[in-house]
Amino acid sequence: MAYDCISLTRHEMIGIVTLQRPQALNALNHQMIEELEQVFMELETDEKVKAVIITGEKHFAAGADINDMLDFNPEQARAFSFRHCFARIEAFPKPVLAAISGFALGGGLELALVCDWRIADNTARLGLPEINLGIFPGAGGTLRLPRLIGAARAKEMIFSGKPINAQQALEYGLINQLADDALAEAIQTAEMLASKPPVALKLAKQCINQAFDMDGVKAIEFESVAWASCFATRDQREGMKAFIEKRKPEFTGT
Ligand code: CAA
């Protein structure tokens, strides 16, 4: 399928989704959000793709498109919401990485927050500046940022609107890695993840994501059922046999 605001390339088993509105620092407009949702639907059924990277041309994304929002009334603002698209990416059954260079602001940072793994380089500036526009983060930021870095630091970022650099983001636990070249590092990490057993990865991701929304007893029960279902896969047998036979496992995704 052809896209206007994003591009999809494949690097062996990795799908690379690039945000491409560089003239607006990749500000997320309605069309880009629709295309993002569409591309993740396409990648979900692509069996050759084992992990996905989201990145941006020059910058990651400087937030939701402010031109689109200026004249919104509350109903229009709610309809503009990114929540369906971001929920799809968060629940995507394969690992999703964000490779962040330049600005990752507002809805751009919130997009990075729904990814499983964030890698930034020294050009990155990460922040939630919505407060300076008379609003606050409305694409999951008030939930996902405090979960990741704690309420105190999240409030600092959301109330002040001040961006942080990649070194600070690493110290906060907002990114997993700081690299010289965010995309090159993300490709290497994605290749490592693509070599893991996909069913176990998918189930581990589901358990971690769903545990946030469950009470502890239910979360442990959910984990136990998901964990047991790994034993219905060939990859479980292969992983354990390879350990016993002192060789590298060859996972097939079955
Ligand atoms: N929406 C629309 N256009 C944007 C944009 C955005 N979020 N961010 C940047 N642009 C546009 C600028 O208007 C400018 O366009 P023109 O050349 O046509 O004037 C172009 O991108 C380049 O931007 P600047 O000239 O401003 O570049 P700069 O280097 O001087 O500054 C910046 C960069 C600090 C990121 C600045 O552009 C900026 O502050 N952008 C807005 C960031 C922001 O507030 N993001 C939050 C948006 S609200 C949101 O995301 C809501 C939500 O929670 C879902």
Side-chain angles (χ1 to χ4, degrees), residues 164-244:
I164 59 173
N165 63 28
Q167 182 58 46
Q168 244 175 320
L170 187 66
E171 283 159 20
Y172 281 16
L174 176 48
I175 58 168
N176 300 67
Q177 285 165 259
L178 169 55
D180 289 337
D181 180 334
L183 181 58
E185 187 69 28
I187 291 172
Q188 266 194 31
T189 305
E191 278 168 350
M192 177 274 288
L193 295 173
S195 73
K196 304 291 178 194
V199 175
L201 262 188
K202 176 182 82 176
L203 292 172
K205 175 167 174 172
Q206 253 178 33
C207 285
I208 295 166
N209 284 357
Q210 299 208 14
F212 282 121
D213 302 321
M214 288 178 179
D215 71 49
V217 174
K218 284 208 179 95
I220 295 292
E221 194 51 39
F222 185 82
E223 181 199 63
S224 160
V225 172
W227 182 77
S229 68
C230 290
F231 289 79
T233 66
R234 288 208 182 115
D235 282 346
Q236 168 270 324
R237 230 185 130 61
E238 167 62 9
M240 293 189 182
K241 256 182 99 189
F243 173 80
I244 291 163

Side-chain angles (χ1 to χ4, degrees), residues 21-28 59 61-69 80-82 86 103 105-110 127-133 135-141 163:
R21 292 185 71 218
Q23 72 283 7
L25 311 184
N26 299 326
L28 304 156
H59 295 273
D65 193 310
I66 299 168
N67 299 302
D68 282 3
M69 295 185 292
F80 184 67
S81 167
F82 299 168
F86 284 13
F103 293 114
L105 301 176
L109 179 58
E110 289 170 297
L128 294 171
E130 287 92 336
I131 202 73
N132 299 322
L133 300 169
I135 56 172
F136 65 88

Side-chain angles (χ1 to χ4, degrees), residues 40-156:
F40 271 86
M41 280 161 73
E42 184 180 335
L43 289 166
E44 188 163 340
T45 51
D46 186 335
E47 287 183 6
K48 288 194 205 107
V49 169
K50 306 288 184 207
V52 177
I53 297 169
I54 304 178
T55 191
E57 190 177 327
K58 295 200 185 109
H59 295 273
F60 192 75
D65 193 310
I66 299 168
N67 299 302
D68 282 3
M69 295 185 292
L70 176 66
D71 294 322
F72 276 171
N73 62 33
E75 286 72 34
Q76 289 166 321
R78 191 149 156 75
F80 184 67
S81 167
F82 299 168
R83 65 185 186 286
H84 299 298
C85 171
F86 284 13
R88 175 176 290 280
I89 298 172
E90 190 169 44
F92 191 70
K94 311 172 197 186
V96 182
L97 300 89
I100 305 169
S101 298
F103 293 114
L105 301 176
L109 179 58
E110 289 170 297
L111 172 61
L113 289 175
V114 297
C115 298
D116 301 307
W117 203 300
R118 283 160 292 280
I119 299 174
D121 60 36
N122 271 316
T123 65
R125 294 291 175 274
L126 305 96
L128 294 171
E130 287 92 336
I131 202 73
N132 299 322
L133 300 169
I135 56 172
F136 65 88
T142 62
L143 178 80
R144 295 189 181 103
L145 188 65
R147 271 181 184 170
L148 201 58
I149 67 172
R153 282 181 163 149
K155 284 180 182 169
E156 193 182 311

